[in-house]
Amino acid sequence: MQGKFITFEGIDGSGKSTQLRMVSGELRGRGLDVITTREPGGTPLGRRLREAFLETEETVSPLAELLLFAADRAQHVELLIKPSLAEGRIVISDRYADATFAYQGAGRGFPETTVKQIIELATGGLKPDLTLFFDISVEKALKRMISHDESDNRKKNRMDAETGDFYSSVRDAYLRIAEKEPQRFAVIDANGSVDEIQSKVAAIVTEFLNPQNPHRTKIG
Ligand code: TMP
């Protein structure tokens, strides 16, 4: 049986990674076979790429960046995501192709058709079954990014230096995808407390995994 592919997206500072850890722990507690991963950096090669082009102060050309995210994804899809789905597992990835549309397309200004072609090449057309978009105001996200820098051991990356305008374009691009693909995309208001958000996430994911449940609520 083919597994399920779920992705978490959001602008930096949206709290998605914390939510990913929480919901995957809950699903595992229910006995489900869940694998968590991330982009970039879901494979050994991807981790080396991440360090080389993201966690660096070196100037990276926007085209090199676009292609390196795609290289990371090609490796990730081929060596980890597809084999795990073929084994019937639930794969939850912290970011995937929507991030490239939002960051490199809207953020860096690459034409949508170029981004689409590169993503198609890298993924072979593999799309998530469900995407959760953690929607937070840019102002709040920027504040969180600053406080993370002071308290977390999360590694800084080049995107941390981007402006509010950059993140507004990225957020708008995610919301446009959500409008275009309401069946796949669930937009979660991520301005509330961790616990409030967690119960929304758990409800959406549970409903998605148990579509025959009579108490279904609509995604999105
Ligand atoms: P994160 O793992 O902390 O979310 O950081 C990854 C960073 O890389 C984040 O700023 C978003 C960015 N990114 C892109 O610009 N394009 C992509 O395709 C992906 C996957 C991430």
Side-chain angles (χ1 to χ4, degrees):
M1 187 194 71
Q2 177 77 355
K4 295 285 179 209
F5 183 26
I6 302 174
T7 58
F8 280 32
E9 298 281 357
I11 61 173
D12 297 62
S14 65
K16 67 181 166 42
S17 308
T18 305
Q19 293 296 334
L20 189 151
R21 276 195 296 278
M22 290 169 92
V23 80
S24 48
E26 189 178 325
L27 296 176
R28 286 189 185 115
R30 288 190 222 154
L32 294 171
D33 186 5
V34 176
I35 172 164
T36 56
T37 183
R38 72 165 169 173
E39 286 196 1
T43 62
L45 172 62
R47 283 189 276 286
R48 294 210 301 277
L49 289 176
R50 182 179 176 110
E51 255 183 63
F53 83 96
L54 198 60
E55 294 166 354
T56 175
E57 284 173 16
E58 181 176 345
T59 302
V60 178
S61 93
L63 179 59
E65 179 186 270
L66 173 66
L67 296 171
L68 284 160
F69 278 119
D72 167 76
R73 184 162 305 130
Q75 180 83 351
H76 195 206
V77 166
E78 210 48 44
L79 276 88
L80 190 128
I81 302 176
K82 275 194 190 163
S84 305
L85 292 174
E87 288 168 4
R89 309 182 75 182
I90 298 167
V91 178
I92 309 183
S93 183
D94 192 339
R95 299 194 184 281
Y96 185 64
D98 296 307
T100 307
F101 278 112
Y103 281 80
Q104 280 63 51
R108 301 277 190 239
F110 281 101
E112 197 177 320
T113 46
T114 307
V115 176
K116 211 171 180 170
Q117 280 173 341
I118 291 174
I119 288 176
E120 191 67 29
L121 190 65
T123 63
L126 179 73
K127 278 198 141 194
D129 299 299
L130 172 70
T131 297
L132 270 55
F133 173 60
F134 292 81
D135 190 25
I136 189 170
S137 72
V138 170
E139 201 186 12
K140 196 156 183 178
L142 290 175
K143 273 194 198 142
R144 279 203 195 161
M145 275 188 252
I146 294 165
S147 62
H148 282 182
D149 283 348
E150 285 160 4
S151 61
D152 253 22
N153 54 9
R154 169 185 175 270
K155 281 199 186 154
K156 281 196 178 183
N157 71 58
R158 285 187 299 105
M159 299 292 175
D160 294 344
E162 292 300 339
T163 61
D165 284 351
F166 177 88
Y167 282 111
S168 290
S169 316
V170 171
R171 174 172 176 259
D172 290 348
Y174 274 123
L175 290 171
R176 280 198 299 277
I177 304 173
E179 246 177 57
K180 261 200 252 165
E181 297 186 57
Q183 293 305 319
R184 171 169 74 89
F185 243 76
V187 178
I188 295 174
D189 181 351
N191 293 289
S193 73
V194 170
D195 288 346
E196 275 164 12
I197 301 165
Q198 196 224 341
S199 55
K200 289 183 203 162
V201 173
I204 291 170
V205 173
T206 302
E207 179 197 316
F208 166 73
L209 294 173
N210 304 295
Q212 71 281 28
N213 180 340
H215 302 296
R216 296 187 71 182
T217 49
K218 203 178 151 284
I219 286 182

